[in-house]
Amino acid sequence: MVEIEIDGKKVEVPPGSMVMDAANKLGTYIPHFCYHKKLSIAANCRMCLVEVEKAPKPLPACATPVSAGMIVRSNSDKAVQAQKSVMEFLLINHPLDCPICDQGGECQLQDLAVGYGKSNSRYEEEKRVVPPKDAGPLISMQEMTRCIHCTRCVRFGQEVAGVMELGMLGRGEHAEITSFVGKTVDSEVSGNMIDLCPVGALTSKPFRYSARTWELSRRKSVSPHDSLGSNLIVQVKGGKVMRVLPLENEAINECWISDKDRFSYEALDNAERLTSPMIKQGGQWAETDWQTALEYVAHGLRNIKHEHGADAIAAVATPHSTVEELTLLAKAIRGIGSENVEFRLRQLDFANDGAVTPWLGMPIAELSNLSRAFVIGSFLRKDHPLVATRLRAAVKNGAKLSILHASDDDLLIPTSSKMIAAPSDWLAALSEVVAAIAGEKGISAPNGFENVQASDAAKAIAASLSQTGADMPGAILLGNSVSQHPQASQLHAAAQWIAEQTGAKLGYLVDAANTVGGYLAGAYAKNAAPVFSQPKKAYVLLNAEPELDSHNPQQARAALDAAEMVVAMSAFKHGFEYADVLLPISPFSETSGTFVNCEGRAQSFNGTVKPLGETRPAWKVLRVLGNLLGLQGFDYETSEAIRDELFGKGVTDLSAKLNNTGKAALASSSFGTSGALERVTDVPIYFADAIARRSEPLLRTADANAPLVQLPKALADKLGVKAGDTVKVSQGSGSAVLVAGIDARLPANAVRVSTAHHATAALGALFGAIQVEKAGEGA
């Protein structure tokens, strides 16, 4: 450690630290613009000039390394005069438009100008004007004249997002930040640039001109989207959510959030919100009151139980529902006498039920410190944007990342080895890795693996993982596509063996905000089969849109159409074709509840605004329904009472209840040779849940474009299809006519078609055989 003195206070910091790091440790504030603790040093704003004893002139605190015995003065006359001179330069060209600037009231330049600016300017020449840019639907670059060239946005793109989407052109007074010609900013974490901008140059396009920061109430919340449970600040005005910002939490989301977390709030108050209970009678929908609607539901469920038995009733929920909602849903359905409750809508293989309660297997923060990582079956950037930023940081620090997947997407992370194979060949690929690790470790291969020949790629992955140790932590991370895979339990067994032999940790990235909570709430059937594979007479849907959220949308729709009664509990209008009752329930912003994230951390939150119209929190609706059905144990006064009954009062770390050790036997497989076409399926980032898929700004991004059918080049040539042609895709009893794209990185027998989109809702299962043909003229 190196000891230095700042403003008379001594502090010890590691060698190689900068003066700014020492000041931060002491709690001494040094004014700055370009410095940010998560970004590299640029030292181009010069606002942090400090006096260093024996130095001939002031030095920038952010870029001056500490040395033993160094004496620094951050507020001496010399330092303050230097800081004031820099401020005068910064304000030479800055427009005096604070009254109309969106950044007013939360602007770093504004704040520091009060302390370091002069009352008048010596600059009398014309100020420069920078033309506005179009950066897409999320970020406004209309006032780039305000830019002070701190380059935080540029560095964020390169270092955290992994893609340089903004850069600086020109020099001196001609310098300006711009996007690439004809390109918008499309990163899934781009909104963080708005937070980083210390002036009003980059602002939020959806929030623009809608409120002032001092008019907004700030409320803490938790993201209802991916499995990280990012901490949010929800800003409210007049009972409406106006903006969502990150709440810093180093253990979870650091100081970032994904664009889905940031901009999905635009769906919370739009025309698609369901605000009154509705009942379909005689084929016509009519609004009604809660008492009538709930009595209708209770009466209908009792009738179906009487006529067909309790087993004819099923409940289906998404893992974006809270622990409290899932607990009461399961309790109500089991109270009726049915075991048919399920939140794992896209899962096919349930062989590990009773043994595996999937979770990350480590704290989220450990991802940044891994030395070896093997990610299997994950569209990483789109499924888990902030996991990708942590793994990117780990690789920058020397970690080695290996991938097994069906699509060679650009993760914007340097990868050391890859195996790209059709989903049906994943087990064969892992079998090769198992055989390679046995060879690497000098142990005998498991039974059935004696004749497996490892490819060079498998050997490279095995060599990388075999270096895992106490000082080189490793992890095998199973993505959403593994959980949804028809051979999920066998893939798990192979990954588990690899983890055990190499000392790496085995973890699931898990797909949604409350997947782990769904297991802990017991919201799944004990002898599970794929949802909708055995049609029932009555369905209760909680936050679920089965034609978008199920492993087989075709099968789901057929089951719902044939049911005698479908009750849809949703914040949005949907299901008019198959539902009989629509009950308006609160989204995360209007209810209290708990999500359990991928590391097993329970995070409770309160509603940030009052429910819209006649909307009610789902846990209250289920409580009343339980009472109307005459069930025991539905007398909760608060959501906290449900949580405390399930987890115990004040318990937040639930990792001890989770387990990634499976019971499926290890089995080998070999690569298929049939060449039959099979489907590779992704869930587009902004269609993964009901809220995101209704946010207008997100739906205008490049990631929300209508899905293409991505064909391998050889198949496209065989069919005579070029990019942009229309093709007919058939699966099961359904088909869709879609635009073709060509992806040379796909395996030769794989066709990539997204799910969770209305354009592909007529297709079948996420995995399996698929047919493609060139569309006829009239298509």
Side-chain angles (χ1 to χ4, degrees):
M1 300 293 277
V2 177
E3 185 180 85
I4 74 165
E5 183 184 303
I6 300 181
D7 297 336
K9 298 177 187 170
K10 287 190 164 51
V11 62
E12 286 190 344
V13 288
S17 300
M18 301 298 157
V19 171
M20 186 72 89
D21 300 324
N24 288 342
K25 191 171 179 182
L26 269 178
T28 298
Y29 179 73
I30 297 174
H32 58 271
F33 293 111
C34 69
Y35 167 80
H36 191 277
K37 63 184 177 182
K38 295 286 182 185
L39 303 176
S40 63
I41 294 162
N44 54 3
C45 79
R46 316 310 278 184
M47 192 66 212
C48 63
L49 291 175
V50 291
E51 182 183 354
V52 178
E53 198 169 86
K54 296 181 182 169
K57 59 183 180 180
L59 300 175
C62 69
T64 302
V66 296
S67 58
M70 179 185 269
I71 296 173
V72 177
R73 300 182 186 92
S74 70
N75 56 10
S76 66
D77 290 344
K78 188 175 181 180
V80 171
Q81 186 52 48
Q83 292 158 0
K84 285 186 173 180
S85 298
V86 169
M87 177 59 74
E88 187 176 12
F89 271 116
L90 287 175
L91 293 176
I92 278 177
N93 275 308
H94 199 81
L96 303 177
D97 62 353
C98 294
I100 61 140
C101 177
D102 241 25
Q103 197 87 346
E106 53 186 1
C107 172
Q108 241 180 301
L109 185 67
Q110 200 177 46
D111 293 344
L112 291 178
V114 172
Y116 299 92
K118 299 192 174 184
S119 56
N120 61 324
S121 173
R122 293 184 283 171
Y123 185 79
E124 294 176 354
E125 289 72 17
E126 283 187 18
K127 289 178 181 270
R128 73 173 197 153
V129 176
V130 179
K133 318 283 190 299
D134 181 14
L138 306 180
I139 298 175
S140 170
M141 296 179 75
Q142 290 300 301
E143 281 86 19
M144 292 308 292
T145 304
R146 297 173 186 156
C147 177
I148 60 168
H149 308 136
C150 69
T151 68
R152 280 184 180 183
C153 55
V154 178
R155 284 175 286 146
F156 172 82
Q158 288 175 300
E159 297 162 19
V160 181
V163 56
M164 186 174 173
E165 293 184 291
L166 296 179
M168 191 186 286
L169 292 176
R171 299 183 67 180
E173 69 168 348
H174 301 295
E176 56 183 270
I177 299 287
T178 184
S179 57
F180 286 88
V181 177
K183 300 279 189 183
T184 53
V185 175
D186 297 326
S187 165
E188 58 283 351
V189 289
S190 66
N192 293 294
M193 295 180 187
I194 298 166
D195 297 340
L196 286 172
C197 185
V199 295
L202 304 182
T203 52
S204 166
K205 201 172 262 189
F207 175 70
R208 196 168 150 78
Y209 298 147
S210 59
R212 287 300 196 181
T213 182
W214 55 84
E215 301 173 314
L216 302 172
S217 304
R218 297 158 61 87
R219 314 218 169 122
K220 293 180 182 178
S221 193
V222 178
S223 165
H225 302 297
D226 65 30
S227 62
L228 236 67
S230 297
N231 290 194
L232 309 177
I233 295 170
V234 177
Q235 297 190 323
V236 174
K237 179 188 175 187
K240 183 181 173 184
V241 176
M242 303 300 289
R243 185 165 61 165
V244 172
L245 299 174
L247 175 63
E248 188 169 343
N249 187 336
E250 279 298 315
I252 298 175
N253 55 303
E254 301 175 271
C255 53
W256 317 123
I257 51 173
S258 69
D259 289 355
K260 181 159 62 170
D261 298 334
R262 185 183 298 272
F263 295 108
S264 68
Y265 75 87
E266 285 280 315
L268 299 175
D269 193 17
N270 70 9
E272 288 199 48
R273 277 295 299 272
L274 177 67
T275 54
S276 295
M278 299 178 78
I279 294 179
K280 187 180 357 180
Q281 290 181 312
Q284 297 296 312
W285 283 97
E287 292 188 357
T288 185
D289 60 85
W290 272 105
Q291 188 71 20
T292 305
L294 288 174
E295 285 177 356
Y296 181 92
V297 172
H299 179 71
L301 293 175
R302 273 196 294 264
N303 271 2
I304 284 166
K305 179 181 176 181
H306 178 69
E307 291 174 19
H308 304 286
D311 190 55
I313 298 170
V316 170
T318 68
H320 301 278
S321 312
T322 66
V323 163
E324 293 80 358
E325 293 163 3
L326 293 171
T327 300
L328 290 196
L329 181 71
K331 199 171 185 178
I333 294 301
R334 292 194 174 111
I336 292 170
S338 170
E339 266 299 317
N340 304 316
V341 58
E342 190 58 81
F343 76 97
R344 304 167 297 180
L345 305 193
R346 293 199 178 103
Q347 193 163 321
L348 289 170
D349 178 356
F350 300 91
N352 269 326
D353 275 12
V356 173
T357 40
W359 70 299
L360 188 60
M362 66 183 105
I364 291 167
E366 273 189 30
L367 292 170
S368 304
N369 303 320
L370 292 174
S371 291
R372 297 288 180 270
F374 182 23
V375 178
I376 304 171
S378 178
F379 296 92
L380 192 60
R381 273 177 57 204
K382 305 304 179 183
D383 289 349
H384 303 96
L386 297 185
V387 170
T389 63
R390 283 196 182 267
L391 290 176
R392 195 171 291 121
V395 169
K396 286 180 79 169
N397 290 332
K400 296 276 189 287
L401 175 66
S402 304
I403 300 289
L404 166 59
H405 199 29
S407 172
D408 190 9
D409 290 7
D410 186 359
L411 299 180
L412 305 176
I413 310 173
T415 47
S416 61
S417 33
K418 291 178 188 173
M419 295 182 83
I420 305 299
S424 62
D425 287 329
W426 287 0
L427 188 57
L430 285 181
S431 297
E432 289 191 358
V433 177
V434 167
I437 283 173
E440 187 81 27
K441 293 278 186 184
I443 56 176
S444 55
N447 286 340
F449 287 79
E450 297 86 357
N451 299 320
V452 176
Q453 295 296 314
S455 63
D456 289 344
K459 287 175 182 172
I461 292 171
S464 175
L465 291 173
S466 295
Q467 294 169 10
T468 299
D471 57 336
M472 295 189 78
I476 295 167
L477 302 172
L478 305 178
N480 298 356
S481 298
V482 172
S483 304
Q484 299 156 4
H485 199 283
Q487 296 172 299
S489 55
Q490 292 169 285
L491 294 173
H492 178 107
Q496 185 176 313
W497 187 91
I498 294 167
E500 287 166 355
Q501 298 304 317
T502 60
K505 289 182 177 173
L506 177 65
Y508 278 85
L509 295 173
V510 303
D511 62 342
N514 201 32
T515 302
V516 176
Y519 279 94
L520 296 174
Y524 58 96
K526 295 295 175 275
N527 299 306
V531 183
F532 301 112
S533 59
Q534 298 157 349
K536 304 295 178 186
K537 295 294 181 185
Y539 286 100
V540 179
L541 310 178
L542 174 62
N543 288 317
E545 299 174 68
E547 67 275 30
L548 302 176
D549 294 327
S550 303
H551 77 91
N552 191 328
Q554 211 175 80
Q555 196 179 66
R557 186 59 196 272
L560 292 168
D561 287 340
E564 289 179 19
M565 182 179 186
V566 176
V567 181
M569 299 174 64
S570 173
F572 301 98
K573 296 171 184 170
H574 75 88
F576 287 114
E577 304 85 1
Y578 53 74
D580 300 284
V581 188
L582 296 178
L583 302 178
I585 58 167
S586 302
F588 80 105
S589 56
E590 298 169 19
T591 183
S592 56
T594 305
F595 292 133
V596 184
N597 71 0
C598 59
E599 67 177 2
R601 183 191 298 241
Q603 298 187 104
S604 296
F605 55 92
N606 292 314
T608 53
V609 290
K610 287 180 179 169
L612 192 65
E614 290 296 305
T615 301
R616 295 290 178 267
W619 70 268
K620 288 187 177 180
V621 176
L622 289 163
R623 180 191 66 189
V624 175
L625 186 60
N627 292 331
L628 289 173
L629 288 165
L631 305 177
Q632 296 298 308
F634 281 81
D635 51 1
Y636 302 101
E637 291 293 320
T638 63
S639 63
E640 288 81 7
I642 307 169
R643 179 198 65 201
D644 292 349
E645 182 179 286
L646 189 65
F647 299 147
K649 196 159 188 167
V651 177
T652 57
D653 182 4
L654 302 168
S655 57
K657 298 185 176 187
L658 307 173
N659 172 51
N660 283 336
T661 305
K663 59 186 180 184
L666 181 63
S668 66
S669 176
S670 55
F671 279 86
T673 53
S674 68
L677 288 184
E678 59 181 280
R679 183 175 177 183
V680 173
T681 312
D682 64 297
V683 179
I685 182 171
Y686 301 136
F687 292 92
D689 61 83
I691 298 174
R693 59 175 78 114
R694 288 174 174 84
S695 167
E696 279 295 320
L698 293 179
L699 293 181
R700 292 198 300 272
T701 62
D703 275 318
N705 290 340
L708 301 174
V709 181
Q710 296 286 2
L711 307 173
K713 186 154 187 342
L715 176 63
D717 292 344
K718 182 180 167 187
L719 296 173
V721 170
K722 297 192 216 38
D725 290 353
T726 51
V727 293
K728 183 182 178 185
V729 182
S730 306
Q731 202 184 9
S733 60
S735 64
V737 176
L738 301 164
V739 176
I742 296 173
D743 186 349
R745 301 170 299 184
L746 278 170
N749 62 328
V751 175
R752 179 169 169 177
V753 187
S754 300
T755 186
H757 195 285
H758 289 289
T760 58
L763 298 176
L766 305 186
F767 296 86
I770 192 166
Q771 290 80 44
V772 183
E773 57 188 301
K774 196 166 183 178
E777 288 300 314

